[in-house]
Amino acid sequence: MAEPNPSFYPPPSHTVVGTTLEEHILEGMRGAPASTGDFTSLLNAISLAVRIIHSRVRAAGLAGLFGYTGDTNVHGEQVQKLDEFANEVLCTVIERSGRCAVLASEELAEARMCNPDAKYMVAFDPLDGSSNIDVNVSIGTIFSIFRAPDGSVSTASVLRPGRELLAAGYAVYGSATTLVLSTGQGVHEFTLDLNAGEFFLSRPNLRCPSRGKTYSINEGNFPYWTKEIQRWSQFVKSEDKTLGLPMGHRYVGSLVADAHRTLLKGGIFAYPADRKNADGKLRLLYEAQPMAFLIEQAGGLATDGVREILDIVPTDAHAKVPLILGSRDDVNVYKEFLTGKRG
Ligand code: P6P
């Protein structure tokens, strides 16, 4: 029998039952002041939604769920049937949990009040990477959890800097369905056991290497970038073995897939501003903030090129921001090109 993969924790063959997502959360909450179980219930609700979305994504082709609904969302983008389904599932499960005061979604024009007495607020991109749905390339769900303000709460309450996040995570619907989560105590990966229908801890304490071998950016936007970003793009493709150049290019076109690879292997992901998207394409509240929280928890960096993502306050639920994240050394080199210190 092949030796168990040492990167799994602990090797599945050496255990009867692994650590479930709920056990991991409860272990992290043990002794936490005033832990009432609401946070665990909310994360369990999100886990349930991810498992439901997983099952539909897997069967989308047979369930006639590929393609478009014919509607366009608040961003003028055509809504894919699976986008709408994923949004409905998350909104329903999170609202029913009774643990959420305000929810914000890429697929909702405005943030939505739920239980005004609840302690938490949730922002999510229900199905990131829609353009890849019909071609069977990895897509994902991204979410983040804030504490609701004491006293009166409104839909604007969710417009907070990422520094205030309590938790963030994403699911990758790939060759396996994995859920990567941080509650502020490191980053941990859970893998869905299809037979048990449960997420089990597969890789705890993920760390982003201080530098990596790949850069991830849509090179098709080269003509629209500033000169500084064009110079950085040419630098990472230049040949200099002492600097480990050229870097390899990897770009899936799903933020979740590109960010997950960058977190695990190191390197840099960049979706900068350009002449087509003056503020970048990715949304601050439910894409950049959760990814920045996770990459920083794993020892990496996340910036808009000048400011750290977690320091930026969203002006509205769908505000966009340039997003550059990954290994500290690689992100700092990018920033040096952007500020003219290099190049
Ligand atoms: P482009 C997917 O549509 C998405 O929102 C992110 O998941 C991804 O990183 C980005 O857009 C890809 O955009 O312009 O390269 O296709």
Side-chain angles (χ1 to χ4, degrees):
M1 181 179 82
E3 277 303 303
N5 177 347
S7 72
F8 273 82
Y9 163 89
S13 59
H14 293 184
T15 59
V16 175
V17 179
T19 302
T20 65
L21 176 62
E22 181 172 38
E23 285 166 344
H24 174 82
I25 297 162
L26 289 171
E27 277 167 20
M29 304 289 284
R30 193 161 294 141
S35 61
T36 60
D38 286 5
F39 189 72
T40 304
S41 297
L42 183 57
L43 276 170
N44 276 331
I46 293 171
S47 164
L48 171 61
V50 165
R51 282 173 282 151
I52 294 170
I53 295 166
H54 153 87
S55 65
R56 273 305 170 96
V57 165
R58 293 280 173 257
L62 298 175
L65 275 170
F66 280 156
Y68 297 98
T69 63
D71 302 325
T72 53
N73 64 16
V74 63
H75 318 291
E77 297 162 343
Q78 291 193 48
V79 177
Q80 300 246 11
K81 291 176 185 173
L82 270 177
D83 276 329
E84 188 167 71
F85 173 81
N87 186 58
E88 282 303 310
V89 168
L90 277 156
C91 289
T92 302
V93 170
I94 289 171
E95 284 178 303
R96 276 191 199 161
S97 77
R99 266 62 179 199
C100 178
V102 181
L103 70 78
S105 166
E106 180 181 40
E107 297 303 329
L108 295 178
E110 305 291 337
R112 181 184 293 177
M113 288 301 301
C114 300
N115 171 6
D117 300 324
K119 292 192 291 190
Y120 302 107
M121 305 183 288
V122 185
F124 54 84
D125 180 353
L127 206 59
D128 167 72
S130 307
S131 56
N132 285 314
I133 289 176
D134 294 2
V135 294
N136 201 21
V137 168
S138 294
I139 52 182
T141 296
I142 309 170
F143 63 91
S144 57
I145 301 175
F146 287 101
R147 181 178 300 285
D150 296 329
S152 67
V153 60
S154 73
T155 53
S157 302
V158 75
L159 301 179
R160 302 304 305 155
R163 291 276 172 230
E164 296 179 12
L165 281 170
L166 293 178
Y170 58 82
V172 185
Y173 308 108
S175 52
T177 289
T178 54
L179 192 148
V180 174
L181 173 73
S182 177
T183 58
Q185 303 169 67
V187 182
H188 312 284
E189 179 196 63
F190 300 82
T191 299
L192 182 61
D193 178 320
L194 301 182
N195 297 319
E198 180 58 78
F199 278 107
F200 289 99
L201 184 64
S202 43
R203 283 186 284 193
N205 303 312
L206 296 178
R207 300 298 294 167
C208 181
S210 58
R211 61 178 300 190
K213 295 178 179 160
T214 61
Y215 75 103
S216 186
I217 193 169
N218 184 341
E219 286 275 8
N221 290 329
F222 184 92
Y224 310 118
W225 295 333
T226 62
K227 289 275 176 275
E228 292 77 11
I229 298 173
Q230 290 177 340
R231 287 192 199 107
W232 167 81
S233 166
Q234 286 157 334
F235 169 74
V236 293
K237 291 198 284 283
S238 63
E239 187 173 3
D240 182 332
K241 293 203 182 338
T242 62
L243 296 177
L245 298 177
M247 296 181 85
H249 183 241
R250 296 287 185 278
Y251 191 72
V252 176
S254 285
L255 172 61
V256 171
D258 286 318
H260 186 56
R261 182 200 55 251
T262 303
L263 191 157
L264 293 175
K265 306 271 189 187
I268 183 170
F269 167 87
Y271 207 110
D274 60 38
R275 278 193 284 117
K276 291 189 301 179
N277 294 294
D279 295 320
K281 175 182 181 184
L282 301 174
R283 280 80 177 197
L284 174 57
L285 182 62
Y286 42 76
E287 290 175 325
Q289 278 187 349
M291 286 306 179
F293 181 83
L294 289 157
I295 203 78
E296 283 205 6
Q297 279 287 318
L301 285 181
T303 174
D304 68 352
V306 178
R307 301 168 294 176
E308 294 187 17
I309 292 292
L310 295 182
D311 294 332
I312 306 173
V313 181
T315 50
D316 67 72
H318 302 296
K320 295 178 181 178
V321 71
L323 176 60
I324 297 87
L325 60 78
S327 299
R328 304 184 75 84
D329 294 355
D330 296 319
V331 172
N332 282 329
V333 166
Y334 178 96
K335 289 172 67 173
E336 288 171 2
F337 273 86
L338 206 70
T339 53
K341 286 182 191 163
R342 274 173 91 140

